[in-house]
């Protein structure tokens, strides 16, 4: 590790939420936080991120929509920092914001590269373990707490991303979003987002294993919820309406392979 990296680690504190201490003068901190989050000095930036966390954890009344509008874009800049220690400190701040469940981050969720959703997808898909685990924890919290329709609408625009690991996180996000939707709510989302069925089955047949697994998880969930109020014939008709010939053939092969595996497992379980 370089001396520069050691310096950043020494000023960035990676406390879990339970160890973040309250501030003596939170109102005074809110007045200077924008300057610290904008600072090019690692010490000021990391101090600002820790203070942001303290405000969110212990002084939520000091963090309103106006403050979030000022501070969130600066937090997103920290997520793009070249120093892993700064990125990790920023991710812990995001996790605290999402854990409060009182602060709405919906305005910062979109398919744009400048959005919180896109930033978490990026950090969750790079093989840098120092930040990846926290990034995936933050992404799960975001998808789990935000309205499903906002997540799905944003994710659909990223299904064909060129990087397989990124697509895997997109598929994961869609899978979580459809799982937490009720059957009626999901039907509304399918109706609103005409490309959802095609996107899910595109991911379910992706060449990348993790992407394919999450895509099939989403496809199975949609199918199960659809069949709660529709027939199998209607499900097949829905697929024919939304999938092209190639996807229909690939999906049929996938279902056939699953059926063979299930029959094989049942036969094996019959042996004493």
């Amino acid at each position: 590790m370089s001396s520069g990296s050691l310096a950043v680690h020494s000023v960035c504190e990676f406390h879990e939420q339970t160890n973040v201490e309250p501030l003596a003068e939170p109102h005074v901190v809110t007045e200077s936080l924008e300057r610290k989050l904008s600072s090019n000095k690692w010490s000021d930036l990391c101090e600002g991120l820790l203070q942001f966390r303290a405000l969110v954890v212990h002084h939520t009344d000091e963090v309103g929509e106006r403050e979030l509008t000022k501070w969130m874009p600066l937090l997103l800049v920290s997520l793009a920092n070249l120093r892993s220690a700064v990125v990790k400190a920023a991710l812990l701040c995001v996790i605290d914001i999402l854990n409060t469940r009182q602060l709405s981050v919906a305005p910062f969720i979109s398919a744009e590269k400048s959005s919180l959703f896109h930033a978490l997808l990026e950090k969750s898909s790079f093989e840098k373990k120092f930040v990846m685990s926290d990034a995936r924890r933050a992404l799960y919290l975001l998808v789990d707490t935000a309205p499903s329709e906002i997540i799905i609408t944003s994710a659909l625009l990223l299904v064909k991303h060129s990087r397989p690991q990124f697509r895997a996180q997109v598929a994961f996000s869609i899978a979580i979003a459809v799982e937490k939707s009720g059957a009626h709510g999901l039907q509304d989302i399918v109706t609103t987002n005409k490309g959802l069925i095609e996107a899910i089955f595109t991911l379910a047949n992706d060449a990348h294993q993790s992407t394919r697994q999450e895509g099939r998880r989403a496809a199975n969930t949609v199918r199960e919820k659809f069949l709660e109020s529709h027939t199998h014939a209607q499900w097949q008709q829905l697929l024919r309406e939304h999938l092209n010939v190639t996807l229909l053939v690939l999906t049929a092969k996938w279902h056939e392979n699953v059926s063979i595996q299930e029959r094989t497992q049942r036969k094996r379980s019959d042996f004493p």
Side-chain angles (χ1 to χ4, degrees):
M1 184 181 292
S2 69
S3 59
S5 295
L6 285 171
V8 182
H9 278 262
S10 67
V11 295
C12 284
E13 300 180 45
F14 308 128
H15 298 304
E16 284 301 316
Q17 187 181 63
T18 52
N19 295 324
V20 174
E21 297 181 357
L23 300 167
E25 297 180 291
H27 181 68
V28 174
V29 170
T30 61
E31 296 298 322
S32 62
L33 189 58
E34 185 174 1
R35 175 181 59 79
K36 287 186 177 178
L37 292 176
S38 305
S39 177
N40 290 323
K41 286 182 63 178
W42 302 331
S43 56
D44 286 349
L45 178 54
C46 287
E47 183 184 10
L49 290 169
L50 187 58
Q51 289 176 338
F52 195 170
R53 296 183 65 193
L55 286 169
V56 167
V57 174
H58 298 291
H59 314 284
T60 315
D61 55 323
E62 297 282 350
V63 187
E65 184 179 340
R66 183 173 67 88
E67 286 74 23
L68 268 187
T69 301
K70 288 192 301 182
W71 299 339
M72 281 299 292
L74 299 174
L75 180 57
L76 290 172
V77 172
S78 292
L79 285 175
N81 197 285
L82 296 178
R83 299 287 181 177
S84 296
V86 174
V87 175
K88 186 177 180 72
L91 285 169
L92 291 173
C93 189
V94 171
I95 289 169
D96 287 343
I97 291 170
L98 295 171
N99 269 328
T100 64
R101 310 227 171 194
Q102 297 174 35
L103 301 171
S104 174
V105 297
F108 308 100
I109 301 173
S110 75
E112 298 294 325
K113 288 186 176 181
S114 58
S115 76
L116 176 60
F117 182 49
H118 197 286
L120 294 181
L121 289 169
E122 283 279 359
K123 298 304 175 186
S124 296
S125 58
F126 280 114
E127 297 298 327
K128 190 174 283 188
K129 292 183 179 179
F130 182 65
V131 299
M132 189 173 64
S133 60
D134 288 317
R136 291 189 175 183
R137 187 155 58 116
L139 179 62
Y140 173 79
L141 281 170
L142 179 69
V143 175
D144 189 50
T145 56
S148 292
E149 186 164 358
I150 294 177
I151 294 295
I152 289 172
T153 301
S154 303
L156 287 182
L157 298 174
L158 301 169
V159 166
K160 296 183 180 179
H161 195 278
S162 60
R163 205 153 51 78
Q165 295 86 350
F166 188 99
R167 292 199 305 276
Q169 297 308 309
V170 171
F172 166 80
S173 300
I174 293 176
I176 296 295
V178 298
E179 283 174 358
K180 70 174 189 168
S181 300
H184 180 73
L186 185 58
Q187 185 173 339
D188 289 341
I189 292 172
V190 170
T191 302
T192 305
N193 297 278
K194 297 297 184 182
L196 177 60
I197 297 298
E198 180 183 5
I200 287 176
F201 280 89
T202 297
L203 294 168
N205 290 287
D206 196 276
H208 184 250
Q209 183 179 8
S210 296
T211 305
R212 191 166 61 247
Q213 288 173 343
E214 294 297 342
R216 293 182 181 187
R217 173 183 170 187
N220 286 329
T221 300
V222 171
R223 179 179 179 274
E224 289 170 5
K225 291 181 183 292
F226 185 88
L227 291 177
E228 288 178 16
S229 55
H230 298 79
T231 65
H232 284 274
Q234 289 172 315
W235 171 250
Q236 293 300 323
Q237 179 60 31
L238 181 71
L239 295 186
R240 286 193 293 271
E241 290 174 357
H242 288 269
L243 304 185
N244 58 39
V245 175
T246 301
L247 277 178
L248 280 171
V249 171
L250 290 172
T251 300
K253 289 182 178 179
W254 157 39
H255 285 155
E256 182 181 350
N257 290 335
V258 171
S259 298
I260 292 172
Q261 291 171 4
E262 289 176 346
R263 287 197 299 270
T264 303
Q265 288 173 354
R266 283 198 297 269
K267 287 180 180 178
R268 286 175 180 169
S269 64
D270 291 338
F271 287 105

